[in-house]
Amino acid sequence: QVQLVESGGGSVQTGGSLRLSCAASGYTLSGSCMGWFRQAPGKEREGVAALDSDGTTNYKNSVKGRFTISQDNAKNTLYLQMNSLKPEDTAMYYCAARDCYSGSPLPGYWGQGTQVTVSS
């Protein structure tokens, strides 16, 4: 059974930092394509950062230079380091496994989410 469990969310002020973690079980992150997504109230879910199986990373334009996606294969854990946080980063953040060809998240391969709230 695949489980992705996010942690590390919280409330910070503008300019603060958080590091999100996504611990995987029943699924090996090494060689997989993974991503972080977020959804704010009343808005559609959006991709924030992606990590391909070859180590290539991609970011939503608004987080480039501030967010870093990484992975520790020994711990089977995905991370999202978020610096210089802004109020518009406030959302529920989810990790998900992605289809390496289409880039789309795989159905059922989602975590439960962790809330990030940035106050001005």
Side-chain angles (χ1 to χ4, degrees):
Q1 181 180 356
V2 175
Q3 277 196 316
L4 300 174
V5 180
E6 301 97 335
S7 62
S11 296
V12 297
Q13 292 189 326
T14 297
S17 297
L18 287 171
R19 188 176 81 154
L20 307 184
S21 299
C22 172
S25 59
Y27 189 76
T28 301
L29 299 190
S30 176
S32 300
C33 296
M34 299 296 296
W36 285 97
F37 299 78
R38 68 186 181 188
Q39 187 167 21
K43 295 188 177 181
E44 291 189 355
R45 186 175 61 200
E46 60 182 6
V48 175
L51 177 62
D52 290 342
S53 57
D54 64 357
T56 301
T57 58
N58 284 286
Y59 298 93
K60 178 180 173 62
N61 282 341
S62 63
V63 307
K64 282 181 181 178
R66 300 189 297 121
F67 290 12
T68 303
I69 187 171
S70 64
Q71 184 171 293
D72 185 330
N73 292 332
K75 296 182 178 180
N76 211 31
T77 300
L78 182 74
Y79 300 100
L80 184 68
Q81 177 67 45
M82 305 187 296
N83 299 327
S84 302
L85 283 162
K86 303 176 181 180
E88 50 264 43
D89 295 320
T90 295
M92 185 72 78
Y93 283 72
Y94 303 87
C95 69
R98 296 163 46 243
D99 183 292
C100 289
Y101 294 99
S102 69
S104 299
L106 296 173
Y109 286 68
W110 288 88
Q112 83 291 347
T114 186
Q115 178 68 38
V116 171
T117 303
V118 185
S119 58
S120 56

